[in-house]
Amino acid sequence: MKLKQLAFGLSALALTSAALLALTPAQAQAKTYRIGISNGFVGSEWRTQMLDGIREVVEEYKKAGTNVELVIQSADVDVQGQIQQIRNLINAKVDGIIINPNSQTGLNQVIREATDAGIKVVVVDQEVSAPTAVNVAIDQRAWAKDKMDWLAKALGGKGNIVVINGIDGHPANEAREAGIADSLKNYPNIKVLNTANGDWDHAKAQQVLSSILASQPNIDGIFTQDGMGQGVLRALIAAKPRKMPIVSGEAYVGYMKLWTEIKKSYPDFRSYGLANPPGVGASGLRVVMSLIQGKQLKDGVLKGPYKNTIYVPIPARVDDSTLAKTLADLLAKKKADTYTMDGYLTQAQANAYFK
């Protein structure tokens, strides 16, 4: 019996030693990584899904034996309020901070304060110019250009359109406006009748478009960012136009339901959804964890206007040819109307950005 116990003990020791050699020193000491989240806008289902995705990956880390604790600062705040959120996280002595920013430049100083304190900072969804931060985002400019290119081609390169943008001044909105302009340079026969801000809010987008439709009924197409598409469709349904404008929509379950319903009365109605993945927050968590553990990014990985951005892939899109199957698959998974098509980096994909 003693020999068996000894053999078991030696085997366990060998396994433990091998496991320790595979871990970083911090992991070997069973360190708990404290990750702060600064979310300065809570007025959309997208942000809720972003936080849920981060929590999913935290559970994945825990199951793999890596302890991660989230310290979340999430509220509707202005730039000064978000600066305070980040300072709260610095004072909490977190190991890393994930920020979805309210400004492209206004957080640079506090980000510097964080990195000077030895905290790794990853900014998600939108790009900031802070040189000590790493942005993890889809290319929002290219995303908007893709959607406007689709709309322009669906219109045959000509027609009158309305553009419904997000929150004025937010980094993603600024990038998307630039992407829209990039596209429209190639379509001189498309005229923008009106541009308005729907603030990534379905109710506001519905109100804004309803007012536009009352004064400008002859609209051929509508460009809308995500988070507002359902409001746009509800405004159109209420207006009962003779011909339904083509809409560059969104990849939400609720939007796809309305899209399907409209096609019953307007069989020629066309739309398109390009995923803007809330899972970018979870992708950011994988990146910040790698940085905390001392991994270095490969040369050439950082791109963008400030050379500090990892552009992650756009995970999904839906058009009229794939609408029925895409919606059926999402409903089979019991996804709510507020769910948008999503995806985030696997650990292997995240590792590929590092040496």
Side-chain angles (χ1 to χ4, degrees), residues 100-225:
N100 196 324
N102 285 352
S103 170
Q104 195 170 72
T105 59
L107 304 177
N108 286 11
Q109 176 58 42
V110 74
I111 288 172
R112 171 69 73 174
E113 291 172 22
T115 54
D116 283 350
I119 299 169
K120 301 299 183 183
V121 176
V122 166
V123 174
V124 300
D125 182 34
Q126 314 179 66
E127 296 177 66
V128 300
S129 59
T132 59
V134 174
N135 300 315
V136 177
I138 64 167
D139 187 335
Q140 297 284 3
R141 184 168 181 162
W143 180 90
K145 183 179 184 300
D146 180 301
K147 289 188 68 174
M148 183 56 83
D149 283 346
W150 177 87
L151 180 59
K153 290 171 185 174
L155 289 167
K158 61 183 179 180
N160 298 322
I161 69 169
V162 167
V163 175
I164 308 295
N165 285 324
I167 296 178
D168 187 41
H170 268 243
N173 191 68
E174 297 290 302
R176 290 173 178 183
E177 287 184 354
I180 292 167
D182 291 342
S183 176
L184 290 177
K185 288 175 186 175
N186 300 317
Y187 299 97
N189 294 321
I190 290 182
K191 180 181 179 182
V192 179
L193 298 176
N194 205 319
T195 299
N197 292 99
D199 294 352
W200 295 319
D201 180 84
H202 294 299
K204 182 166 184 182
Q206 181 176 352
Q207 180 184 21
V208 164
L209 183 59
S210 294
S211 297
I212 293 172
L213 290 170
S215 60
Q216 295 176 325
N218 298 317
I219 296 170
D220 301 305
I222 299 170
F223 179 97
T224 177
Q225 297 184 20

Side-chain angles (χ1 to χ4, degrees), residues 23-44:
L23 297 174
T24 65
Q27 288 173 313
Q29 295 169 14
K31 173 179 171 60
T32 294
Y33 297 93
R34 302 183 73 235
I35 306 298
I37 311 292
S38 172
N39 179 40
F41 173 62
V42 296
S44 74

Side-chain angles (χ1 to χ4, degrees), residues 177-353:
E177 287 184 354
I180 292 167
D182 291 342
S183 176
L184 290 177
K185 288 175 186 175
N186 300 317
Y187 299 97
N189 294 321
I190 290 182
K191 180 181 179 182
V192 179
L193 298 176
N194 205 319
T195 299
N197 292 99
D199 294 352
W200 295 319
D201 180 84
H202 294 299
K204 182 166 184 182
Q206 181 176 352
Q207 180 184 21
V208 164
L209 183 59
S210 294
S211 297
I212 293 172
L213 290 170
S215 60
Q216 295 176 325
N218 298 317
I219 296 170
D220 301 305
I222 299 170
F223 179 97
T224 177
Q225 297 184 20
D226 57 319
M228 301 178 288
Q230 291 167 70
V232 165
L233 291 192
R234 290 191 182 100
L236 288 170
I237 290 168
K240 297 179 180 177
R242 182 182 58 82
K243 181 180 180 182
M244 188 66 69
I246 298 171
V247 180
S248 73
E250 62 188 18
Y252 282 73
V253 169
Y255 183 88
M256 285 182 257
K257 284 183 176 180
L258 288 174
W259 179 355
T260 302
E261 195 64 28
I262 287 173
K263 287 180 79 69
K264 294 176 182 177
S265 301
Y266 298 87
D268 294 332
F269 173 62
R270 297 182 65 189
S271 194
Y272 178 63
L274 185 62
N276 171 36
V280 74
S283 298
L285 176 60
R286 294 201 193 279
V287 171
V288 80
M289 285 291 292
S290 295
L291 292 171
I292 291 167
Q293 292 169 359
K295 296 178 183 177
Q296 294 184 332
L297 290 164
K298 292 178 180 176
D299 295 339
V301 163
L302 296 178
K303 303 181 185 300
Y306 311 112
K307 307 301 180 187
N308 64 344
T309 301
I310 297 172
Y311 287 125
V312 297
I314 294 172
R317 64 193 72 218
V318 56
D319 59 22
D320 290 282
S321 67
T322 59
L323 171 61
K325 184 179 186 307
T326 300
L327 180 57
D329 288 347
L330 291 169
L331 292 178
K333 295 174 183 175
K334 302 188 185 308
K335 297 299 184 183
D337 287 1
T338 55
Y339 179 84
T340 184
M341 294 171 72
D342 203 0
Y344 51 74
L345 296 176
T346 64
Q347 190 60 55
Q349 289 171 326
N351 291 344
Y353 293 110

